[in-house]
Amino acid sequence: MKNISVIPIILCGGSGTRLWPLSRESYPKQFLNLDNNSTNSLLQKTQERILNLENIRNPILVCNEEHRFIVAEQMREINVKPEAIILEPFSRNTAPAITLACLKALENIDDPILLVLSSDHLIKNEKGFINVLNEGIKFALEDKLVTFGVIPSSPETGYGYIKSKVPFDQKRSKASEIEMFIEKPDINKANELIKDKHYTWNSGIFMFKAKKLVSELEKFSPKILKSCTDAIEKCTYDLEFVRPNKDLFKSCPSLSFDISVMEKTKSGMVLPLDVKWTDIGNWKALWESSKKDIEGNFKKGKVITNSSKNCYLRSENRLIVGIGISNLVIVETNDAVLVADKDHSQKVKDIVKTLKERKIQEGQNHKKIYRPWGHYLSVVEESRWQVKLIQVKPGEKLSLQMHHHRSEHWIVVNGTAKVELNKNISILSENESIYIPLGSKHRLINPGKIPLILIEVQSGSYVGEDDIVRFDDKYGR
């Protein structure tokens, strides 16, 4: 196996609505740190847990336009230079995303093995995971399309199931041909399935040779293959980002990889996976995978409990006090508080849907918004004014821009600011400020080696984020 190359394909889509209010469309769960034993996000842990796999190369990541800078920054933080970051023009489910990455991988390597991973899984037994992946490589080299079935521990209704032709054996990772895939069952069906050793949870992890996948797509999903091939051939490049052609990708069918390929192929194999895996699909699942105190409580942040048990309690800002409570999820952020019975945590997605229908901003966006140069936090806002706390990373700069409807006042509270204002340059230190009149060209730069933090006061007839005219931007926005 010395001459093979294994390329991870990390899928970074998904909004993680079941973990609201911590996870939202603007910053979903794959970019969050949900493990008290690590400072890394789920995406970063996905990349780091495969570093010991032999012949592993840098990853190809697939994400949307809005999350591109978050993905790039999180890879930079762990010193990983991706082979590519592909920006999906439209969300078209997993089959087109995997196909785009496969075609991109084939541009530089003759026939690599592709390891398809979701960016939001948690795996506790990483050594065991590597061992199972090495087994998967053997089958991939024999032109098999390998998927990994998690040995079930409970009757889950949030996962699909895989039926193997041979019952699994917990003592041996013995592969089997796939008999069928089953969509997420109801609780009665799930109770039946876990009693049968032919069934495993569908992890959504795959492994196969790139050319074998193309061959199967030609047979079973030619429309997906053609749309993705055309879109990749006419792609454009923006910094480290690959942008498939929008017009050519628009007609691509929206199908899952299971439906478009795995349910049809005669080359499918399933390997049992017993590595303490979870996709953290809801707050109950996160509580189950988290380290708890003697009363069964997980606590993070400013949390005090008394006579309470089996709760998930997480404070991002304010103090949470729980007295005489049990089986609850309480999550506090700077703009929302969730209180839910742990056994009803699947219903959080329905609440998020209601918030979106009512156009309540907290359903989709955090108060803290991430940008390639840093982030800003909306502290307080009204229709004609708002206050933000802005942090700019060392050496970074915002675009040269102007506003039609608002003026701004910047007060530096940490670090040094270099300000371009109508071709004039000013250097501001802590406790110094500058006024940016409506209609003026301006740019904010951090020339220092520590974060620049400033307070921005906006006022005018309109203070929305779309009142920006950019003249120059290093990030190509």
Side-chain angles (χ1 to χ4, degrees):
M1 301 202 307
K2 291 183 178 179
N3 296 324
I4 67 170
S5 293
V6 181
I7 299 182
I9 307 299
I10 304 180
L11 306 180
C12 303
S15 55
T17 54
R18 289 182 180 87
L19 289 183
W20 183 90
L22 206 59
S23 171
R24 307 187 197 181
E25 281 189 19
S26 65
Y27 205 82
K29 67 175 180 176
Q30 56 266 33
F31 306 125
L32 297 171
N33 167 25
L34 298 175
D35 185 356
N36 265 7
N37 298 318
S38 171
T39 58
N40 288 341
S41 71
L42 292 177
L43 169 61
Q44 291 169 326
K45 289 172 73 68
T46 298
Q47 167 61 25
E48 291 197 325
R49 74 169 60 101
I50 57 173
L51 291 178
N52 291 327
L53 189 64
E54 193 175 350
N55 302 309
I56 197 75
R57 295 177 65 95
N58 285 336
I60 295 175
L61 301 107
V62 186
C63 67
N64 63 27
E65 176 87 10
E66 183 180 2
H67 298 149
R68 67 195 189 280
F69 293 118
I70 303 173
V71 170
E73 174 64 14
Q74 292 207 347
M75 289 296 100
R76 187 197 65 79
E77 287 175 354
I78 58 173
N79 299 311
V80 171
K81 183 175 176 57
E83 295 276 342
I85 301 176
I86 300 175
L87 307 183
E88 289 182 284
F90 311 97
S91 179
R92 289 291 187 266
N93 216 314
T94 52
I98 293 170
T99 303
L100 288 171
C102 173
L103 296 170
K104 190 64 188 170
L106 283 167
E107 288 182 359
N108 298 320
I109 302 173
D110 181 50
D111 192 12
I113 289 177
L114 305 182
L115 169 61
V116 179
L117 301 163
S118 294
S119 58
D120 57 358
H121 293 175
L122 191 61
I123 292 174
K124 296 292 183 70
N125 182 0
E126 297 187 355
K127 183 178 179 181
F129 183 55
I130 294 296
N131 291 337
V132 178
L133 292 181
N134 281 323
E135 283 295 307
I137 289 174
K138 297 174 185 177
F139 289 99
L141 289 171
E142 296 173 0
D143 275 343
K144 301 298 184 181
L145 276 69
V146 183
T147 188
F148 299 85
V150 177
I151 297 175
S153 57
S154 61
E156 282 292 333
T157 59
Y159 303 144
Y161 287 70
I162 303 169
K163 184 179 182 182
S164 60
K165 289 189 176 179
V166 178
F168 65 80
D169 184 344
Q170 286 183 299
K171 294 181 181 179
R172 293 179 297 163
S173 295
K174 187 175 180 180
S176 169
E177 293 181 28
I178 297 168
E179 186 168 315
M180 65 184 298
F181 287 81
I182 295 177
E183 292 299 311
K184 297 174 183 177
D186 60 27
I187 188 63
N188 293 328
K189 184 66 175 177
N191 273 309
E192 285 180 31
L193 297 180
I194 65 165
K195 296 173 185 176
D196 188 334
K197 298 300 183 184
H198 289 83
Y199 291 94
T200 52
W201 291 336
N202 187 351
S203 70
I205 302 172
F206 305 98
M207 182 180 281
F208 36 72
K209 289 199 293 189
K211 287 184 178 178
K212 176 62 177 178
L213 174 59
V214 171
S215 173
E216 299 299 272
L217 287 165
E218 286 173 343
K219 286 188 282 188
F220 305 122
S221 297
K223 290 184 179 178
I224 289 177
L225 180 60
K226 178 170 174 37
S227 295
C228 291
T229 300
D230 293 345
I232 281 289
E233 285 179 352
K234 298 293 183 181
C235 72
T236 57
Y237 295 88
D238 168 18
L239 302 174
E240 65 262 67
F241 307 116
V242 180
R243 296 178 183 273
N245 184 280
K246 283 186 178 182
D247 294 332
L248 296 171
F249 188 73
K250 186 163 46 179
S251 61
C252 186
S254 179
L255 289 172
S256 73
F257 189 69
D258 287 341
I259 290 173
S260 62
V261 176
M262 293 303 295
E263 291 183 4
K264 298 180 173 67
T265 183
K266 303 297 183 184
S267 302
M269 301 289 290
V270 57
L271 265 169
L273 193 64
D274 189 14
V275 292
K276 298 182 180 179
W277 170 96
T278 177
D279 75 343
I280 317 183
N282 55 60
W283 287 111
K284 183 179 180 181
L286 183 56
W287 172 80
E288 288 172 345
S289 66
S290 299
K291 187 175 181 180
K292 297 171 276 290
D293 64 19
I294 195 170
E295 277 85 34
N297 298 312
F298 170 85
K299 295 184 286 189
K300 184 169 184 177
K302 298 178 182 178
V303 177
I304 297 174
T305 57
N306 185 285
S307 302
S308 299
K309 61 182 181 179
N310 299 327
C311 292
Y312 186 98
L313 304 159
R314 183 177 186 126
S315 164
E316 299 296 296
N317 298 280
R318 291 162 288 183
L319 174 67
I320 293 175
V321 178
I323 303 174
I325 59 175
S326 65
N327 209 48
L328 290 183
V329 173
I330 302 177
V331 180
E332 178 272 344
T333 69
N334 57 20
D335 62 349
V337 178
L338 169 70
V339 181
D341 185 297
K342 208 161 66 249
D343 294 327
H344 291 263
S345 57
Q346 287 274 13
K347 297 179 181 178
V348 171
K349 66 173 183 177
D350 299 327
I351 295 298
V352 175
K353 182 180 178 182
T354 300
L355 293 172
K356 291 174 68 174
E357 289 171 349
R358 296 183 183 179
K359 295 182 168 40
I360 297 174
Q361 184 178 356
E362 286 82 355
Q364 292 177 272
N365 298 317
H366 284 282
K367 290 288 186 182
K368 179 184 280 190
I369 302 296
Y370 290 83
R371 291 291 185 257
W373 41 261
H375 62 259
Y376 68 82
L377 175 69
S378 294
V379 179
V380 62
E381 55 188 295
E382 294 291 342
S383 60
R384 293 182 60 88
W385 60 272
Q386 71 171 317
V387 178
K388 291 181 178 178
L389 186 67
I390 296 175
Q391 180 166 315
V392 185
K393 292 180 288 191
E396 297 294 339
K397 60 183 178 181
L398 283 66
S399 62
L400 180 63
Q401 58 186 251
M402 60 90 72
H403 311 293
H404 288 296
H405 304 287
R406 71 172 185 254
S407 59
E408 297 171 343
H409 192 179
W410 295 342
I411 306 101
V412 176
V413 295
N414 185 77
T416 301
K418 179 179 178 181
V419 180
E420 295 181 22
L421 179 58
N422 292 327
K423 297 185 179 181
N424 296 316
I425 302 295
S426 300
I427 302 296
L428 305 180
S429 299
E430 293 178 14
N431 297 318
E432 295 183 328
S433 64
I434 191 169
Y435 176 67
I436 312 296
L438 183 150
S440 59
K441 281 188 180 182
H442 60 280
R443 188 200 304 263
L444 177 63
I445 302 167
N446 180 0
K449 295 183 178 181
I450 63 172
L452 163 63
I453 301 174
L454 58 83
I455 296 169
E456 176 182 83
V457 181
Q458 301 178 355
S459 61
S461 59
Y462 178 71
V463 292
E465 279 301 301
D466 53 349
D467 180 25
I468 297 178
V469 178
R470 289 190 172 93
F471 301 98
D472 178 59
D473 183 34
K474 66 179 285 188
Y475 306 107
R477 292 171 297 173

